[in-house]
Amino acid sequence: METFLAVAEERSFSRAAVRLHRTQPAISQVIRKLEESVGEVLLDRAARDGSLTAAGELLREYATRLLALRREASSAMEELKSLERGRLQLAANEYTCLYLLPVLDAFRKLHPKIDVTVHRSLASRIPEELNLRIFELGVISFKPDTEQYRSVAVYADTLAFVVNPNHALARAKRVSITDLGEETFVAHNVPSPLRRKVIEAFERHRTPLHMRIELPSIEAIKRFVAMGNGVALVPRLTVARELETGDLVAVPVDELEFRRLLRLVYRRNMKLSYAATAFLQTVRSMAAEAGAPFHYQVERG
């Protein structure tokens, strides 16, 4: 198409050859093959001014638009590489999304023209959903199948036993799990490995665990406990603001000091987009600058 337009604009095979830095026979061969491909004569060989036939005039319109689209596509690709455009697609649940917020804040300051979408998903489903290519990166709290996925440990969180500031245990420096047998726990009604570990810990220490209230979100749990209803065990990341403002108090429990690693995970056999690669670099930089609990450690199989 580029050769055809050059001939049409120069109205000469020889001048088109000079413009494109090719030989005249090469230009003639390209035009002949193009005519064979479309099944029409494009140039009026009888005319000395290199006039186009009706078919040539029609094709000229499309050729101009096609080359303009090619230039636009090339420009878009360059913008993609330079992060002047693009989309970052991630997945997280209610809890792990809280880790993403400060990292996304730093990422958006560096790359404000990248659109960001965080899909809400159960952590247990994220590895499987990565294969559907709805998103590139997911945040989970367990190590995935290393044959299918790559994972990077990015944040170390702990379990927090939280109470209302007026609760009898609020001023205790430490308590034992056996001190909690009479407490009413407000629990998350979504099954998880952490919930199972807590139940097993109470069973191991032969202490009753009264989960008399179950709510559908951590946000609801925090607010309910802050209102003076029972106690709760939640990831510390989820109550950082409430602990800072004093709406909740965290009391250390020796037997419940569980550590959780949050991980960024993606498919092993995929090439990450420029936006996702830049996001991982932001994660690495934040870990280096902020330190614990932020991390950046590529996990091996």
Side-chain angles (χ1 to χ4, degrees), residues 99 103 137-138 150-156 259 261-266 272 275-300:
Y99 156 75
V103 187
L137 298 169
R150 297 185 187 275
S151 62
V152 183
V154 293
Y155 191 90
R259 182 173 180 267
L261 274 179
L262 300 190
R263 298 167 168 88
L264 278 173
V265 60
Y266 55 96
L272 289 176
T277 301
F279 180 75
L280 287 178
Q281 183 56 51
T282 302
V283 172
R284 183 195 292 267
S285 298
M286 175 166 282
E289 294 169 8
F294 292 92
H295 293 280
Y296 191 93
Q297 182 177 357
V298 178
E299 296 184 307
R300 307 300 177 188

Side-chain angles (χ1 to χ4, degrees), residues 95-146:
Y95 158 44
T96 56
C97 188
L98 294 176
Y99 156 75
L100 286 176
L101 296 182
V103 187
L104 287 174
D105 178 58
F107 177 78
R108 288 283 298 161
K109 288 174 180 175
L110 291 170
H111 310 294
K113 295 185 179 180
I114 300 296
D115 295 334
V116 177
T117 301
V118 179
H119 300 262
R120 182 168 183 172
S121 177
L122 290 175
S124 59
R125 295 179 181 174
I126 286 177
E128 181 183 345
E129 290 175 348
L130 280 167
N131 292 325
L132 300 177
R133 296 171 172 79
I134 299 172
F135 43 82
E136 288 187 274
L137 298 169
V139 188
I140 59 177
S141 57
F142 57 91
K143 195 169 184 179
D145 179 359
T146 54

Side-chain angles (χ1 to χ4, degrees), residues 10 63-64 68 83 106 119 141 143 158 162 170 175 206 220 258 300:
E10 296 293 339
T64 301
L83 300 172
H119 300 262
S141 57
K143 195 169 184 179
T158 55
V162 294
V175 297
R206 298 180 180 179
F258 301 143
R300 307 300 177 188

